[in-house]
Amino acid sequence: MKRFEYLEARTVRQAISMLQRYGENARIVAGSTDFLVRWRQGVWNPEHVINIQRVAGLSRITYSSRNGLRIGALVTVRTLEQHPMVRRRYPALAAAAASFAGVQVRNLATVGGNICNASPSGDTIPALLVFDAQCRIAGPDGDRWVALDQFFTGPGRTVLRSDELLAEIRVPPPAANTGSHFIKHSPRGAMDIATVGVASLVSLDGRRGPCSQARIALGAVGPTPVRAYSAEDILRGQDINQELIRSAADSARDGVKPIDDIRGSAAHRKEIVGVLTRRTLEQALSSAASGPLAFEEQRRLAVQAAF
Amino acid sequence: MADFQTIGKNHIRVDALEKVTGKATYAGDIYLPGMLMCKLLTSTHSHARIKSIDTSAAEALPGVRCVITGEDYPDARFGSGALMDRRIMARDEVFYIGEPLAAVAADDEITALEAVELIKVEYQDIENVIDPLEAISDKSPEVHPDLEDFEGYGFALGGNNCTMLDADRGDVEQGFKDSDLIVEETYHTQPISQGFLEPMACVADVEANGRLDIYASTQGPYQVRAQLASVLDMPIGNIKVTAMEMGGGFGAKLRLALEAFPALLAIKTGRPVKLINTREEAFTLNGPRLETNIYLKTGVTNDGRILAREARSIFDMGAYLGAGPNSGVGHGLGAYNIPNFKLRSYGVYTNKIYVGSYRASGVADMTFATESHTDVIAHKLGIDPMEFRIKNALSDGDISVNGSVIPKNGLMETLEALKERMGLPKKLPSDDPKEGRGVGICVGEWRSGSGPSTAAINVNEDGTISLLTGSVDISGSDTSLAQIAAESLGLRLDQVVVAKRNTDMAPFTGPSGGSRIVYSQGRVVQNAAEDAKSKLLDLAADRLGVPADALECAGGAVYVQDNPPQSVDLGQLARMSLSSRGGPIIGTASLSSLPYAPVFNAQGAEVVVDRETGQVRVTRFVQAQDVGQAINPMGVEGQLEGGAVQGIGRALSEEILIDKDTGEVRNPSLATYLMPLSVDMPEIENILVEVPSADGPFGARAVAESPGFGPPAAIANAIFDAVGVRIKTLPLSAERVLAAIQGRPEDEYRMDVDELRSAEAP
Amino acid sequence: MVEPYYSLLDTLRDEMQLTGTKKGCDEGDCGACTVLLNGKPVCSCLVLAHSAHDGEVTTIEGLANGQELHPVQQAFVEYGGLQCGYCTPGLILAAVGFLESGEEPTEENIKFALGGNLCRCTGYSKVIEAVVAAVPRPDRGSGRGTE
């Protein structure tokens, strides 16, 4: 661990110019739920730490039925968990936020930080992926947009250049008759890094279908969180039945190459991908037809609680 | 049942206010002028000769005040039991990854850490052995080739076999011949951490007269004092240990842990030195429990009588004997009357961190095996698991494993209470095909802890009393001891002060653990109170002109039993005593051991098993325990609930993962060592059975350790009831349960029982 | 002197000698270091001290009103919601943060609100009982601080 200089940026421009000045020797912190831990472990050794917590304009979250959700990078995971429109229109995202660590960490952790950390098992990522989130990246020459499913390049690695900052995440409004669900497989109902995380979204053409949109995203089973495109193709345009769901689940399972680690073996993870894909699709389908579950029920199912 | 004034009532703990306001002082909360911070360098090799340690760069770093290595300590070994196999700091050789090699004292923590990084060590690797099942064979590389030279080498068998405990009765071979059914199985339990919230901490200071002041997070201040004296080669009287408020120990803090490092640094620098373990060091530096492999062979008749048992358990000790297999061999039978038995427990060295104690180490491991095994046998015989247990349960008058006669006890009452509360036998149907629901039970057998204990009670001039006890307040024991003293002398609880103490002022007592405090220490407090009482009665007899046996104590006064208004209050007696022949009143008592007082409990778990993910959740947990006499029922329940949840963690999610090639701990973090959280725990239902013990204070028995034994077997039995799979390895993780449901083979731990049998002397 | 690499926890304990907030893991995994930062429970071991320079921090030392305990502290005492006491300050602050948040105080919500706090001694039963008892009720007298 190396001693470092602490700096604060007050504007996006200021943050970017600090990044330009210090390059690889600087690290951005926002909620700082990871920084001190990794620093003490000797994994991150910047000479300069740039706190963007006070950068104006990055902490707002707004929703409109036309533009969907606009989430400033500094919005906390706790805010996502509690926001009434997130719970109503993006239930898988609220449930995923609720499953993230514990409330003390959620009050600090930012959505932007969770994304930029690019952990393969980041809890909010699968849900953001199935809602087709888009990332606004601020750089010295202005903004650029990258779809979230193009944002990650490897474990802990993103498309961000060393002088860029993730400023905002936009999530399009879901179509009418859309249901979503998220389940995290881990030993405890809180605090754990996911062994497997699966989010599914199903939109129906009218309340009885056919399926106009299906998205499935998998966490903790690859170098980055991924969409299960082949599984989605099985469902899109079809009248979804149990057989198709099973088929999609098998496809999702067969499409992943997880690793063995202290949380589980690759074989177990594949097995669980199949099960959770099936269950999240079933629940998403049901919610698409009859409306979302109450938040508390979503949360219970997401963390496999036994209340 | 007698009508008590303070015993058997819920009282607010004497330390509650300090703790809810943040004023309670733990070792890490001490700040002394000029205090230095200590950090440790630990080995990165699992078994190696130390060719050189170069501390020069570390010593040259500004802010560093002193650096020590193993060479700075007297060349001696110490141990926690009979076997002296351990150096406090590695000298020529290291035996596990994480073993301390050097210590730095610096002006602040970051400087100390930077200094540690500047120390250069040259290692020469020696062959290591990690798997205990490999280590026990005489073909294995030896961890300590000089084992035979260690003082206290008595129980060891040689090679890596550092201790062997045994118990025999009757003729097992004949017993097996007479049996209608023989069941042979092996079980495996995992390495586990005590999981105390407060990492070990110590502040060491040297007084002007050269005495060493130790402020430690410890359960055993006298034990730390003695071991420090031996390790530093100084008289015991040179050391004063103050046990600070302790944030959980559960056995981990019974012995010398890290105190010797700041102690020597304080001596060399002349300044106070503080060392606080990191959470990582809580896993890698000081004794957790390691794995146990257990072989059981039991013979029964068709009508369900157990005739014979052979049990062999191999306890992985790590690099030093540490806490040993402890209670392994004594618990190969469980709570049953088995006429013929042959029990063996082996402690084996491996190149890993050595073991400490954890809430009756060894018993929890054995209980998982024996109580799962009990269900397996019951199912094979077609007998209900509860009825099978009742049929074989120990009765008063039977002989226990250690040869004591089983006195009156509440085993049967706990079984009946559990059966009734849970409505056993019962089936738990589920209308969801994705899940199975089941119920499983487990019976635990333990004993009340004994060992040397002393206490003193001063009667103050206003009739209040000060209680001096060398025990450490763990989980409300100070409150219970105060209640015992108050009850004996007819005082209210607020008339008892429990003195804050250290090893200079409080008389010697054994470590605060092993279920010793309420039973043994409580007994001696009661005896000390009785001693003070007899002096008070003698004085009052003089004053009131009646014989002492006509008097009694209540309401803060001594009164004539036949004429209560004729009385004198304790304050008056105390003031009188100042100028009487006897002098100021002090009651004392001391004992070296108490007779065997068994503790039995029965626990039941209801679970829901997800058939597709293997996830297990406990939806209900019930326990009945014979507590003899609950001194403070709310405190007793707290012990039972905490112990049960520790057991649930052991059953479902806790495991120290160890690298099979290097012995390194792979998950030294609370992010990856998973202890139960509130969201997953059911409400715990407690039934306090009270069959008084003969010798405990007011009939009390030990309470704290038993609740942790049962949950693994109860849950494993419940899983079998729910989905029909029998799992013999802990923890019962989702992956393991799912694999079993899908019929995939279980992990293999091959115990070569024949080799163990043949190793026995003819 | 608060260095850039100090956490809020280290600052409270080492610089300000407010030792009521405890260090259990220094990694955000146990909740023993919970304080209220601008009214919200956070792990103080994760917060860079300098980043909290204009925030309002409430520690365990700030809860009682002289000799009068906060209702949550009082409930922990009465219901036996503590044993060794090391996790207690963090648990109490997590509970206070929850009760003041406006979230519905069901037992399930309470369990999730305390889901980031590890306790090794109590098994949580009496902790949950204490927090449930501390929920302000309209019919309670002034002792519960509902005014």
Side-chain angles (χ1 to χ4, degrees):
Chain A
M1 45 200 277
K2 224 172 28 187
R3 305 184 193 224
F4 55 82
E5 185 195 8
Y6 173 87
L7 302 162
E8 268 183 18
R10 296 282 162 149
T11 64
V12 173
R13 183 114 53 98
Q14 207 178 15
I16 289 173
S17 85
M18 285 179 184
L19 283 173
Q20 284 180 301
R21 185 139 131 236
Y22 298 115
E24 299 297 330
N25 291 319
R27 181 167 278 275
I28 298 238
V29 299
S32 91
T33 53
D34 288 301
F35 175 72
L36 277 174
V37 178
R38 307 277 184 114
W39 178 73
R40 290 179 195 121
Q41 289 169 346
V43 174
W44 289 348
N45 280 309
E47 285 169 17
H48 312 273
V49 162
I50 304 168
N51 189 348
I52 57 167
Q53 196 73 284
R54 287 175 182 80
V55 168
L58 295 187
S59 341
R60 284 206 336 268
I61 175 170
T62 57
Y63 173 80
S64 79
S65 47
R66 186 144 56 104
N67 297 318
L69 210 49
R70 294 179 59 165
I71 311 172
L74 294 180
V75 168
T76 64
V77 175
R78 179 72 167 153
T79 300
L80 268 193
E81 176 196 352
Q82 296 188 297
H83 198 285
M85 291 318 289
V86 177
R87 289 188 178 186
R88 179 131 36 108
R89 306 289 264 135
Y90 306 88
L93 183 55
S99 79
F100 181 106
V103 71
Q104 294 94 328
V105 175
R106 297 203 288 279
N107 276 324
L108 292 170
T110 61
V111 180
N114 203 218
I115 292 173
C116 291
N117 245 15
S119 163
S121 52
D123 290 315
T124 61
I125 315 296
L128 287 168
L129 284 171
V130 299
F131 285 109
D132 198 26
Q134 306 290 318
C135 302
R136 177 164 69 81
I137 299 173
D141 306 316
D143 291 350
R144 64 185 178 109
W145 286 89
V146 174
L148 186 62
D149 67 358
Q150 305 298 312
F151 192 81
F152 308 109
T153 59
R157 295 196 313 274
T158 69
V159 297
L160 283 180
R161 292 190 280 264
S162 64
D163 56 2
E164 289 182 317
L165 189 65
L166 174 63
E168 188 187 19
I169 300 98
R170 287 204 195 161
V171 194
N177 303 309
T178 294
S180 66
H181 195 52
F182 169 76
I183 301 178
K184 174 176 174 176
H185 180 71
S186 73
R188 301 180 301 181
M191 298 304 288
D192 289 348
I193 299 167
T195 304
V196 178
V198 177
S200 291
L201 175 147
V202 168
S203 300
L204 299 177
D205 205 345
R207 285 170 97 240
R208 272 170 241 290
C211 165
S212 54
Q213 182 60 271
R215 296 198 197 98
I216 303 164
L218 314 172
V221 289
T224 70
V226 288
R227 290 262 301 275
Y229 296 110
S230 314
E232 295 169 6
D233 290 341
I234 292 174
L235 301 167
R236 221 174 269 116
Q238 307 294 328
D239 280 304
I240 301 185
N241 57 26
Q242 260 308 315
E243 198 190 310
L244 276 181
I245 288 181
R246 232 164 242 288
S247 197
D250 288 347
S251 165
R253 180 198 64 203
D254 295 338
V256 291
K257 275 205 184 58
I259 53 168
D260 292 331
D261 70 13
I262 52 178
R263 278 177 282 283
S265 70
H268 179 68
R269 287 183 147 112
K270 281 179 81 100
E271 188 72 33
I272 299 301
V273 163
V275 175
L276 296 194
T277 302
R278 181 165 34 86
R279 290 186 184 177
T280 51
L281 282 173
E282 283 167 359
Q283 186 55 56
L285 177 64
S286 161
S287 301
S290 21
L293 296 170
F295 169 73
E296 287 76 16
E297 178 73 34
Q298 286 264 7
R299 177 176 63 184
R300 238 174 266 141
L301 291 171
V303 302
Q304 302 177 292
F307 291 115
Chain B
M1 185 73 62
D3 190 20
F4 296 121
Q5 296 303 305
T6 49
I7 300 290
K9 310 227 180 329
N10 291 335
H11 287 277
I12 287 172
R13 298 166 55 117
V14 302
D15 53 345
L17 286 181
E18 285 182 338
K19 288 178 174 170
V20 297
T21 55
K23 295 208 177 79
T25 310
Y26 301 78
D29 298 333
I30 296 175
Y31 293 82
L32 298 175
M35 191 172 78
L36 301 171
M37 294 300 291
C38 171
K39 281 290 172 187
L40 302 174
L41 172 72
T42 59
S43 171
T44 52
H45 289 236
S46 64
H47 193 189
R49 217 143 275 129
I50 302 173
K51 291 179 69 186
S52 67
I53 303 186
D54 181 0
T55 60
S56 54
E59 289 175 77
L61 191 66
V64 171
R65 302 295 164 192
C66 186
V67 180
I68 55 175
T69 67
E71 300 284 329
D72 290 297
Y73 286 94
D75 184 3
R77 290 180 190 275
F78 76 107
S80 302
L83 184 57
M84 310 288 189
D85 57 357
R86 191 174 143 210
R87 295 193 190 285
I88 189 61
M89 188 175 265
R91 213 172 158 99
D92 310 301
E93 199 173 336
V94 287
F95 296 91
Y96 65 96
I97 292 181
E99 184 164 12
L101 292 178
V104 172
D107 291 347
D108 53 44
E109 211 173 85
I110 192 170
T111 305
L113 283 167
E114 288 168 340
V116 165
E117 279 171 25
L118 292 174
I119 301 176
K120 297 188 210 351
V121 183
E122 241 188 295
Y123 298 92
Q124 185 179 52
D125 285 325
I126 304 172
E127 205 178 353
N128 68 12
V129 57
I130 305 299
D131 182 353
L133 296 177
E134 188 197 321
I136 198 163
S137 145
D138 53 19
K139 300 182 208 60
S140 161
E142 287 183 329
V143 176
H144 295 287
D146 44 352
L147 171 60
E148 286 173 35
D149 300 332
F150 294 158
E151 202 186 311
Y153 171 85
F155 289 101
L157 296 185
N160 291 316
N161 200 316
C162 56
T163 191
M164 198 276 279
L165 306 172
D166 55 14
D168 296 81
R169 188 175 297 160
D171 181 348
V172 280
E173 292 314 317
Q174 189 57 48
F176 289 134
K177 286 202 185 82
D178 296 338
S179 301
D180 298 319
L181 171 70
I182 294 179
V183 180
E184 270 184 284
E185 302 187 288
T186 54
Y187 287 85
H188 175 90
T189 65
Q190 80 282 43
I192 204 122
S193 169
Q194 299 89 343
F196 39 84
L197 256 288
E198 181 212 10
M200 290 181 185
C202 172
V203 175
D205 194 12
V206 179
E207 294 175 26
N209 57 15
R211 291 188 80 221
L212 193 55
D213 256 345
I214 302 288
Y215 303 94
S217 174
T218 183
Q219 298 170 247
Y222 300 90
Q223 292 63 41
V224 167
R225 183 179 70 170
Q227 288 183 306
L228 250 189
S230 131
V231 152
L232 295 174
D233 196 18
M234 58 172 61
I236 283 178
N238 203 47
I239 302 171
K240 177 177 82 180
V241 178
T242 306
M244 302 305 296
E245 208 62 71
M246 183 180 65
F250 312 113
K253 301 175 180 176
L254 284 174
R255 305 173 183 85
L256 187 66
L258 47 58
E259 296 84 353
F261 310 132
L264 186 56
L265 287 165
I267 290 169
K268 283 180 172 275
T269 59
R271 291 167 66 169
V273 179
K274 178 192 269 184
L275 171 60
I276 306 180
N277 272 175
T278 62
R279 178 54 59 179
E280 182 178 339
E281 286 170 340
F283 288 98
T284 60
L285 199 66
N286 293 302
R289 295 297 297 175
L290 295 174
E291 66 179 88
T292 306
N293 291 281
I294 301 157
Y295 164 83
L296 297 171
K297 176 179 177 182
T298 304
V300 289
T301 61
N302 278 329
D303 66 342
R305 260 178 319 123
I306 306 176
L307 295 186
R309 169 161 298 160
E310 180 186 351
R312 291 182 191 266
S313 45
I314 298 176
F315 287 80
D316 188 348
M317 300 283 88
Y320 302 109
L321 179 54
N326 277 45
S327 322
V329 85
H331 301 276
L333 302 181
Y336 310 112
N337 188 25
I338 302 179
N340 305 290
F341 56 80
K342 188 187 194 87
L343 314 175
R344 302 282 181 274
S345 286
Y346 307 90
V348 64
Y349 284 136
T350 57
N351 290 107
K352 301 187 193 115
I353 181 173
Y354 62 90
V355 294
S357 297
Y358 179 19
R359 223 159 172 167
S361 336
V363 189
D365 305 283
M366 295 305 294
T367 307
F368 169 62
T370 57
E371 280 296 273
S372 299
H373 187 62
T374 299
D375 252 40
V376 168
I377 297 170
H379 286 301
K380 283 191 196 276
L381 290 173
I383 301 179
D384 171 72
M386 175 60 91
E387 296 311 313
F388 180 59
R389 287 171 168 84
I390 289 175
K391 188 179 182 102
N392 287 281
L394 286 164
S395 308
D396 314 348
D398 286 341
I399 311 290
S400 77
V401 169
N402 62 12
S404 314
V405 177
I406 307 256
K408 193 153 170 12
N409 66 79
L411 170 57
M412 209 46 77
E413 285 85 340
T414 65
L415 293 168
E416 293 296 336
L418 187 73
K419 184 174 162 183
E420 200 217 308
R421 176 68 71 91
M422 297 191 88
L424 303 173
K426 73 173 171 189
K427 270 287 161 208
L428 291 176
S430 168
D431 41 12
D432 184 346
K434 290 202 312 285
E435 62 179 40
R437 288 180 181 261
V439 58
I441 63 176
C442 176
V443 175
E445 165 274 320
W446 185 225
R447 48 138 184 84
S448 304
S450 183
S453 314
T454 339
I457 290 179
N458 296 319
V459 182
N460 300 316
E461 312 94 279
D462 62 352
T464 60
I465 61 173
S466 300
L467 168 60
L468 196 54
T469 164
S471 56
V472 176
D473 184 5
I474 57 178
S475 302
S477 50
D478 270 13
T479 308
S480 300
L481 296 177
Q483 284 176 263
I484 289 167
E487 187 72 48
S488 305
L489 287 166
L491 291 169
R492 295 186 316 268
L493 193 59
D494 64 288
Q495 292 173 308
V496 180
V497 167
V498 185
K500 295 276 186 213
R501 58 270 188 194
N502 56 52
T503 53
D504 276 357
M505 73 170 81
F508 182 96
T509 198
S512 297
S515 293
R516 240 185 41 81
I517 308 191
V518 162
Y519 186 60
S520 229
Q521 193 68 15
R523 183 59 210 238
V524 91
V525 166
Q526 186 180 22
N527 292 352
E530 295 292 327
D531 185 35
K533 181 173 167 183
S534 81
K535 292 169 180 168
L536 286 163
L537 293 191
D538 281 346
L539 256 186
D542 250 5
R543 174 84 135 86
L544 298 171
V546 299
D549 57 17
L551 297 170
E552 192 40 86
C553 248
V558 177
Y559 65 94
V560 179
Q561 292 185 62
D562 294 335
N563 183 21
Q566 200 183 352
S567 70
V568 55
D569 70 40
L570 293 195
Q572 282 177 281
L573 291 170
R575 289 188 292 280
M576 268 175 61
S577 75
L578 298 183
S579 51
S580 81
R581 272 166 301 145
I585 296 174
I586 177 164
T588 62
S590 188
L591 60 83
S592 62
S593 71
L594 279 181
Y596 170 63
V599 180
F600 293 107
N601 68 338
Q603 295 171 306
E606 292 181 13
V607 304
V608 56
V609 182
D610 187 320
R611 294 181 194 277
E612 296 175 330
T613 64
Q615 185 85 275
V616 177
R617 296 267 187 240
V618 179
T619 53
R620 185 182 182 205
F621 193 87
V622 183
Q623 57 186 340
Q625 182 159 322
D626 175 14
V627 303
Q629 165 66 55
I631 303 293
N632 186 332
M634 188 165 76
V636 168
E637 284 178 358
Q639 292 281 62
L640 296 184
E641 288 158 3
V645 168
Q646 286 188 337
I648 294 176
R650 182 194 289 259
L652 293 178
S653 59
E654 292 181 40
E655 183 170 13
I656 298 179
L657 295 162
I658 293 186
D659 184 293
K660 60 181 179 50
D661 297 316
T662 65
E664 187 175 17
V665 174
R666 296 171 62 208
N667 60 335
S669 156
L670 294 178
T672 45
Y673 182 82
L674 308 178
M675 300 199 279
L677 295 163
S678 60
V679 293
D680 296 313
M681 288 303 105
E683 192 197 315
I684 312 282
E685 295 171 55
N686 309 299
I687 305 165
L688 303 187
V689 167
E690 288 177 318
V691 175
S693 71
D695 301 289
F698 301 102
R701 295 178 194 272
V703 168
E705 290 178 298
S706 302
F709 304 159
I715 293 171
N717 292 338
I719 292 172
F720 180 81
D721 189 46
V723 291
V725 299
R726 170 60 57 186
I727 301 174
K728 302 184 189 173
T729 304
L730 291 178
L732 308 162
S733 63
E735 180 160 351
R736 199 163 267 136
V737 172
L738 186 60
I741 289 173
Q742 294 178 338
R744 281 180 269 143
E746 211 184 319
D747 321 281
E748 252 199 67
Y749 296 95
R750 211 189 64 82
M751 277 176 81
D752 195 334
V753 184
D754 290 326
E755 194 183 318
L756 292 174
R757 286 181 183 130
S758 65
E760 268 170 57
Chain C
M1 166 66 175
V2 178
E3 300 289 343
Y5 45 84
Y6 274 31
S7 64
L8 176 58
L9 177 63
D10 287 333
T11 306
L12 291 169
R13 290 179 56 81
D14 297 338
E15 294 297 310
M16 300 170 70
Q17 243 92 98
L18 290 170
T19 56
T21 310
K22 304 301 181 198
K23 182 180 287 195
C25 71
D26 222 14
E27 293 184 322
D29 296 321
C30 73
C33 67
T34 303
V35 299
L36 299 181
L37 180 58
N38 302 321
K40 303 196 173 110
V42 300
C43 282
S44 59
C45 70
L46 298 178
V47 176
L48 280 165
H50 283 252
S51 78
H53 62 76
D54 58 358
E56 193 180 294
V57 177
T58 307
T59 67
I60 190 72
E61 291 90 345
L63 279 191
N65 192 0
Q67 294 284 60
E68 198 188 317
L69 294 179
H70 186 286
V72 173
Q73 289 172 309
Q74 185 62 36
F76 268 67
V77 167
E78 279 173 32
Y79 286 82
L82 66 138
Q83 289 182 32
C84 82
Y86 201 72
C87 73
T88 304
L91 258 175
I92 288 177
L93 284 163
V96 170
F98 169 76
L99 292 174
E100 292 179 354
S101 71
E103 216 182 318
E104 202 195 336
T106 61
E107 191 172 309
E108 187 174 333
N109 280 345
I110 289 171
K111 284 188 169 182
F112 276 105
L114 302 184
N117 290 78
L118 264 174
C119 174
R120 197 53 161 169
C121 299
T122 67
Y124 305 104
S125 286
K126 294 192 188 328
V127 169
I128 303 296
E129 263 179 61
V131 179
V132 167
V135 172
R137 295 196 211 296
D139 54 316
R140 286 239 178 87
S142 55
R144 284 287 182 207
T146 50
E147 272 88 77

